[in-house]
Amino acid sequence: MSLKNEGSNALKESQVQTVKTENDNHPAVSPKKKKKKAHGLLAVEIGAVLAAILFFGVPFYFVIVNSFKTSGEAAAMNLSWPNAFQAIENYREVLTLNDGIVLRAFMNSTIITLGAIITLIIVCSMAGFVLQRRPGLSKKLNYVILAGLMIPPSIVPTIWVLQSIGLFKTMPGIIFLESALHFSFATLLYTAFVATIPKELDEAALIDGCGPFSLFFRIIFPLLKPVTSTVIVLSSIQIYNDFENMLYFFPGADNATVQLTLYNFTGLYGTSYHLLFADVIMISIPPLILFIFFNKKIVAGMTAGAVKG
Amino acid sequence: MINSKKMYPLYFLLPAGIIYSVFFLLPTGMSFFYSMTWWTLDDWEFIGFDNFIQFFQEPSLRIGFRNTLIFAFTTMGGKVIIGLLLAVFLCSKIRNKNFLRSVVFFPVLLSTIAVGITFKTMMHPTTGLINTALAKIGITGPNWLGDPSIALLSVAMTDIWKGVGIATVIFIAGIMAIPNHYYEALKIDGGNAFQGFWHVTLPLSRPALNTVIILALIGGLRTFDLVWAMTGGGPGFSTDLLASIVYKQYAGGFYGLATAGNVLLFLFVGLIAFPIFKFLNRKEVDL
C-alpha cells in the first residue's frame, strides 16, 4: 500500500508501532455519558449487524443456497430453501465435468500462486533490503518501482516477449509474469519495513563475521516475518483471483485456472446456475482458509509497513 | 562503520531487476513503438499515429475515456466515503467489531468474476433478487444492467461492494495509529465526538486517505474483470472501459490498435493519478 518510501520514515514507523498497541480502544465517548449512551449503542450495534447481514450476508446465502438446488429450481434465482436438496450431486458434477477441468484448474492455480509468492518473497525482500540500506538508492529507483503499481501491463508486447523466450503458455512464464506484476507492491512493503530494523544489528553481525548473504538470510529475513505475512495474504489472493492476466497470457484448456472455469461453465451450460454457484463456492474456499489463518496479520502488517510507508 | 558497497551488494537487486525488466519494463517500452504499427506478431508495418487517430475518431472507442473516468471517480468516491465511515464505526467501542470487520473485508477475498456473475443474476430486471425485494415494498426496480443510462453505475456499485473492505482496513490501520492524547486534549477542551472526527481523525488519517484514494483510482482506471463478467461492455458500448476495449481489439486480432489502446490507458492513468499523487503527498500531515 505504500506509495512513498524514504529511509527517514524509520523513526515514524517505530513510533506508530508502539502507539498502536496502547491505543486499541478509542475514546470517542466521554465517561459521564457512558450509561446514557449504552442503550443507543446497543441499538446501533443491532442495526450494524442487520445491515451487514443485508448487504453482505444475503448475497452469500443466495449463492450457497442455489448451489444446493436442482437446475430448475436454481433458475428461479430466489432465496428459498431447496425442495430437492442435491448439494453432493452438484459439487461432484462440477468436479468431474469436462474430464475434471475444475480439479486441473485448482492444481494450476495453486502452482502459479505458490510459485509466484515464493519468488516474490525471496527476490523482493532482498531488493527491499538493499534499496533501503544503500543511501539514496530507493530515491533513485522510486519512479521505476512506482511505475509497476500504476501502469497496466502492455498485453501484446508482453505476449511477444514471452513467445520470443519460449515461455508463452508455460507455467514458468506465468509465474515470472505474475511476480513481475506484483513486484512493486511487495518491494515497497519490504523497503518500508526494513527501515524499522535498526542498522546497529547489521554492524553487530558484521563484527561477528557475517557476509552479506548470512546477514540477510540469517538475521534480517526472519525479522521481516510480519510484512512477509502481509505479502503472502494480499498477493496470493490477488494472484489466485487473477482473471485478466490468465486470460491473456495463459490461454488454453490445459492451462485453465480457477477463475476461467467460471467461464467455461457459462459458455457450456448457459443457465446452469446451480453448477456455476457450486463452482463459485468451491473456488472461494482457499482464500477463505488463508484469511482465517492470517486475519489478524493483515491490519498489523499494514500498520507496520504500509500506510505510513 | 559499515562499508555499504560490501554489505549491501547491488547484485541483491539482480533477480528482482531481471524479472521486472524482462516481463514488465521491456514490454512497456516496446509498446510505444508497436502502438504505431500494423502488427501481426510475426510482421509489422509502421503506420505512424493512425491507431491513435482511430481511437479518438471512432465513437465506440472514444466512449471508453468518458466511461473510465466516470467509473474510476465514482468507485473511488464511494470507497473513500463508505470506507471511512465504516472504519470510524469499526474503531468505536462496539462489541461485534471483529465480526463486522471480517464481514466487511470478506468480499475482498472473492474472485471478481464470481462477484460479477452473482450480482448480474441478482440485478436481473424481473427475476433478480434486488428487484424482487423492491417489488415487495412497492417499488418497480430499474433494469440495472440493461438500461444504458445506469448500467455503468450498477457495475460501479458492485465494485464498491467488493472493494470497500480494503479501504476500510487501510482506514482502520490509519485511525489506530493516531495517538490517544489528541483525543484527550480535545476532550479537555470540551469537544464532542463529531469534532473529534472532524478535527482529529480526519486530518490525522491523511496518509491512509491518500493511500485509499490512489489505490482506488488506479484500480478503477484499470478495471476490466468486473465489466467483463457483468456486461461485456454492453448494452451498446455504455459500460465499455478502456481496458475492455483493449481486450476487444486484442481478441479481434488488431494487435497494433490494442497496443495503442494500452499506451493510451497508460498515459491516462499517469495523467490522472500522478498529479493527484503529487498533490496529496505535498499536503500530508505528520503525526
Side-chain angles (χ1 to χ4, degrees), chain A residues 1 3-4 12 16 19-20 22-28 34 41-42 44-45 48-49 52 55-56 58-60 62-63 76-79 119 123 126-127 129-131 133-135 137 143-163 165 167 176-177 179-181 183-184 199 202-203 206 210-213 215-216 234 237 241 243-244 247-248 259 262-263 273 276-277 280 284 287-288 291 295 298-299 302-303 307-308, chain B residues 1-13 15-16 19-20 22-28 30-31 34 39 41 89 91-97 99-100 102-114 117-119 121-122 124 127-129 161 164 166 169-170 172-180 183 187 193 207-208 210-211 214-215 218 222 224-225 228-229 243 246-247 250 255 258-259 262 265-266 269 273-274 277-278 281 284-287:
Chain A
M1 303 291 122
L3 291 166
K4 191 184 78 173
K12 276 185 258 159
V16 166
V19 159
K20 199 205 93 201
E22 65 196 36
N23 192 34
D24 234 332
N25 289 318
H26 248 290
K34 240 181 195 168
L41 209 59
L42 190 71
V44 171
E45 276 174 39
V49 173
F55 281 105
F56 296 99
V58 170
F60 290 119
F62 171 69
V63 172
M77 297 189 220
N78 57 31
L79 287 175
T119 313
V123 305
M126 285 169 75
F129 173 62
V130 171
L131 279 172
R133 288 300 203 238
R134 292 272 285 229
L137 192 60
Y143 288 111
V144 181
I145 299 172
L146 279 179
L149 276 186
M150 294 197 181
I151 301 175
S154 37
I155 288 116
V156 196
T158 310
I159 292 175
W160 188 86
V161 167
L162 286 168
Q163 268 182 357
I165 51 179
L167 289 180
F176 282 132
L177 192 69
S179 314
L181 298 182
F183 157 82
S184 301
K199 234 177 164 173
D202 304 10
E203 280 162 24
L206 182 67
C210 274
F213 272 94
L215 164 66
F216 179 72
L234 294 178
I237 288 169
N241 282 335
F243 170 75
E244 191 177 359
L247 183 71
Y248 283 124
Q259 308 310 316
L262 293 169
Y263 262 94
Y273 286 108
L276 179 67
F277 288 139
V280 168
S284 304
L288 177 67
F291 178 66
N295 185 4
I298 294 176
V299 175
M302 279 198 185
T303 320
V307 172
K308 218 17 220 171
Chain B
M1 219 15 227
I2 288 189
N3 176 355
S4 6
K5 281 192 180 140
K6 211 176 130 207
M7 280 313 264
Y8 313 123
L10 285 180
Y11 61 76
F12 266 42
L13 297 176
I19 293 175
Y20 187 57
V22 172
F23 296 95
F24 182 74
L25 294 178
L26 175 68
T28 303
M30 284 172 58
S31 67
Y34 281 108
W39 192 20
L41 278 182
F89 180 68
C91 281
S92 66
K93 283 184 173 167
I94 51 165
R95 259 161 295 178
N96 302 313
K97 72 178 163 197
F99 167 74
L100 289 172
S102 303
V103 169
V104 171
F105 189 76
F106 188 67
V108 175
L109 304 168
L110 300 174
S111 114
T112 311
I113 298 295
I117 292 173
T118 306
F119 272 78
T121 40
M122 296 204 306
H124 190 282
T127 50
L129 209 55
W161 181 89
V164 77
I166 194 95
V169 168
I170 295 171
I172 288 175
I175 291 172
M176 287 196 339
I178 299 172
N180 228 337
Y183 291 99
K187 229 187 290 172
N210 294 350
T211 309
I214 286 294
L215 282 181
I218 294 171
R222 293 169 56 168
F224 167 75
D225 308 23
W228 197 244
V246 168
Y247 178 74
Y250 161 79
Y255 294 151
T259 309
N262 244 143
L265 176 58
F266 158 26
V269 173
F274 197 68
F277 175 58
K278 277 263 171 199
N281 271 335
E284 198 158 291
V285 183
D286 281 324
L287 285 180

Side-chain angles (χ1 to χ4, degrees), chain A residues 106 240 279-289, chain B residues 106 110-111 114:
Chain A
F106 261 114
Y240 177 87
D279 195 24
V280 168
I281 297 291
M282 261 192 277
I283 68 169
S284 304
I285 290 171
L288 177 67
I289 294 172
Chain B
F106 188 67
L110 300 174
S111 114

